[in-house]
Amino acid sequence: MSADYFAPYDTIRFEGPDSANDLVYRWYDKDRVVLGKRMEDHLRVAVCFWHTFCWPGSDVFGAGTFARPWHTGANDAAAAMAKREAALAFVEKLDVPFYCFHDVDVMADAESIGDFRKSFAEAVDHLEALQARHGRKLLWGTANLFGHPRYMAGAATNANPEVFAWAASQVRDALEATHRLRGANYVLWGGREGYDTILNTEVGIELENFGRFLSMVVEHKHKIGFPGTILIEPKPHEPTKHQYDFDTQTVYGFLKRFGLESEVRVNIEANHATLGGHTFEHEIAMARALGIFGSIDANRGDHQNGWDTDQFPNSVEELTLAMLEIIRAGGFTTGGFNFDAKVRRQSIDAEDLFHGHIGGIDTIAHALIKAEAIINDGKVDAFRSERYAGWNGELGQAIHAADATLASVADLAVSRSLHPKPRSGRQEWLENMINRF
């Protein structure tokens, strides 16, 4: 039944912005060459398991509303298999290359550690066959270290070392599964790696344990020969009051402390950026500057809500600004755009899943085209280059010379009687330039 759930729908194809059809792409033309590369290769689009196939449409005030064939009430082996089959069929219908999952997304429920490993192993066997059948690939895998009650106080940062050890078992198996399924990345999202009150928390112990855990993950990656990238996904809060992976800069400081800055990159989520008081493009620009840009979870929040609403992106302007930073970072290597987004609780039909993903994919494709136009026009980048040109001149080079000191630079200012004049940052002109596109 689940394999037939999407059978009434044709594969989604590109028809252009003037198409009268709803279930087509207007901007996502996967073979279109943008800045020397196919659009599909630029964007590397992925569908997530958790929101799209696992979430039943529930919220804190009410039960699930979706009633899809695999939402049988019990996540047993039959339901998990049906969910996996439906998921890969849907990804093929969208004609995008990738999907992503947490371990518990794809397996039947299990309580003991032995049953958990057995159930997950069966799921991985099935996923390997489904990938071959549908011609899809894994962008990244991960382990859910936040949903089960054992993780109510975190996983790597838990006060109980038994929880740390259980989490290590999950991550070991999920990382090895990602390697077997030829996944491009492995993500660690510390959903509860933080605290709700400082009254019961030893922050120093928790940070040390978090660093130890991540170091073990990196060590195991090399031990098994996994060629992909290890990613951390920053988030400031929710569900905890404060999370240790608050934003990109915080993550970089953490990585630097434990000597992992060359081993781990960030998976940046738009809605997490805004929860931290940043813009999406700020987080990408910061990752680019720090050399840890990895991958993207594409979604958006609601400006009237203070929590992670995980809605599909629909602002070409916001995504264009983000896309400019991605291009300036050199684009994706192993990363891509994963739609960590969910249809609304009242969007109960199979068709709604298509509309949500088509809209999100078209938004990022449209943004890529606009970013290309801005880059080819050159005016914005030319102004940025001119604004910082002094650092390539004699004084700028002298400041960065290996033998420069605070005193030597100060003496230069005195000897040359420097009298720097303020120069306009031309923000309004730049904003007008962007809006023209």
Side-chain angles (χ1 to χ4, degrees):
M1 190 185 337
S2 64
D4 296 333
Y5 188 63
F6 301 110
Y9 302 94
D10 295 328
T11 300
I12 309 302
R13 301 299 183 193
F14 171 76
E15 289 193 4
D18 297 326
S19 176
N21 298 326
D22 287 332
L23 294 175
V24 298
Y25 295 121
R26 285 168 167 74
W27 298 100
Y28 181 64
D29 179 2
K30 68 178 186 178
D31 292 318
R32 175 171 175 168
V33 176
V34 179
L35 296 172
K37 188 160 59 174
R38 292 173 62 250
M39 183 176 283
E40 181 180 74
D41 298 329
H42 264 293
L43 302 182
R44 294 171 58 84
V45 173
V47 176
C48 80
F49 248 88
W50 50 99
H51 289 321
T52 307
F53 304 103
C54 301
W55 183 52
S58 58
D59 65 17
V60 295
F61 299 106
T65 57
F66 292 158
R68 311 207 194 278
W70 52 92
H71 290 151
T72 59
N75 186 32
D76 55 18
M81 177 177 288
K83 181 170 51 177
R84 294 190 296 266
E85 290 177 346
L88 272 294
F90 180 72
V91 179
E92 184 177 5
K93 289 278 187 178
L94 282 177
D95 195 24
V96 296
F98 294 104
Y99 74 103
C100 299
F101 69 83
H102 299 86
D103 50 5
V104 300
D105 299 339
V106 299
M107 58 180 273
D109 290 340
E111 281 301 313
S112 73
I113 197 165
D115 288 345
F116 190 100
R117 299 190 70 203
K118 179 182 178 182
S119 179
F120 181 53
E122 291 170 353
V124 173
D125 289 343
H126 191 209
L127 285 173
E128 188 172 45
L130 289 171
Q131 284 186 188
R133 183 191 311 169
H134 295 282
R136 305 300 113 174
K137 296 177 286 186
L138 179 63
L139 184 66
W140 53 259
T142 187
N144 183 320
L145 305 182
F146 52 88
H148 193 278
R150 75 174 65 90
Y151 296 125
M152 67 180 183
T157 62
N158 203 289
N160 184 351
E162 292 184 3
V163 177
F164 185 109
W166 181 293
S169 174
Q170 272 189 252
V171 172
R172 187 261 313 269
D173 289 351
L175 179 56
E176 291 180 358
T178 300
H179 182 32
R180 174 182 165 186
L181 295 172
R182 300 179 301 282
N185 310 272
Y186 185 83
V187 172
L188 293 118
W189 178 56
R192 298 187 190 276
E193 307 296 23
Y195 63 82
D196 291 316
T197 175
I198 204 74
L199 294 174
N200 63 8
T201 304
E202 285 288 355
V203 172
I205 293 175
E206 294 196 356
L207 286 173
E208 285 291 335
N209 288 342
F210 198 5
R212 179 66 176 145
F213 193 92
L214 185 56
S215 297
M216 288 176 171
V217 173
V218 169
E219 179 184 4
H220 195 67
K221 166 199 163 167
H222 292 298
K223 180 180 179 180
I224 65 175
F226 175 56
T229 304
I230 302 295
L231 302 168
I232 282 186
E233 184 167 323
K235 187 178 184 182
H237 54 79
E238 192 205 50
T240 62
K241 175 182 177 180
H242 171 84
Q243 292 181 199
Y244 298 130
D245 46 5
F246 187 92
D247 61 6
T248 295
Q249 281 183 280
T250 304
V251 168
Y252 181 76
F254 173 81
L255 296 176
K256 191 79 173 174
R257 176 182 176 186
F258 291 98
L260 298 170
E261 68 273 15
S262 63
E263 294 280 2
V264 180
R265 297 192 170 198
V266 284
N267 181 60
I268 297 169
E269 180 176 316
N271 206 169
H272 292 179
T274 52
L275 282 175
H278 304 310
T279 62
F280 188 21
E281 65 268 21
H282 163 88
E283 284 290 271
I284 301 170
M286 196 59 64
R288 171 173 66 90
L290 297 171
I292 56 171
F293 174 68
S295 196
I296 294 293
D297 270 10
N299 57 22
R300 65 182 169 95
D302 187 312
H303 296 298
Q304 293 178 305
N305 290 339
W307 61 89
D308 195 1
T309 56
D310 287 321
Q311 294 171 251
F312 282 92
N314 64 0
S315 170
V316 176
E317 178 187 6
E318 291 178 5
L319 265 294
T320 298
L321 296 174
M323 196 68 69
L324 285 170
E325 294 302 330
I326 291 171
I327 293 169
R328 288 166 180 153
F332 294 117
T333 52
T334 59
F337 272 102
N338 170 53
F339 282 98
D340 184 7
K342 56 190 177 189
V343 296
R344 298 301 88 188
R345 191 166 177 263
Q346 298 176 52
S347 300
I348 61 175
D349 297 336
E351 187 168 310
D352 295 317
L353 289 173
F354 282 101
H355 287 308
H357 285 85
I358 290 169
I361 292 167
D362 262 349
T363 298
I364 63 170
H366 198 172
L368 176 64
I369 293 167
K370 296 305 179 184
E372 178 190 37
I374 292 167
I375 288 168
N376 287 339
D377 175 75
K379 292 184 179 67
V380 172
D381 283 342
F383 174 76
R384 287 162 61 106
S385 296
E386 188 278 331
R387 189 168 184 237
Y388 289 90
W391 290 98
N392 295 319
E394 180 186 358
L395 180 58
Q397 294 298 304
I399 292 171
H400 282 285
D403 59 349
T405 65
L406 182 65
S408 69
V409 173
D411 288 344
L412 277 175
V414 174
S415 65
R416 298 185 184 187
S417 299
L418 295 182
H419 185 63
K421 297 178 181 179
R423 293 184 296 171
S424 174
R426 301 186 72 184
Q427 178 173 334
E428 293 74 19
W429 176 80
L430 288 164
E431 290 169 344
N432 292 346
M433 290 295 297
I434 294 296
N435 278 341
R436 291 176 195 174
F437 290 90

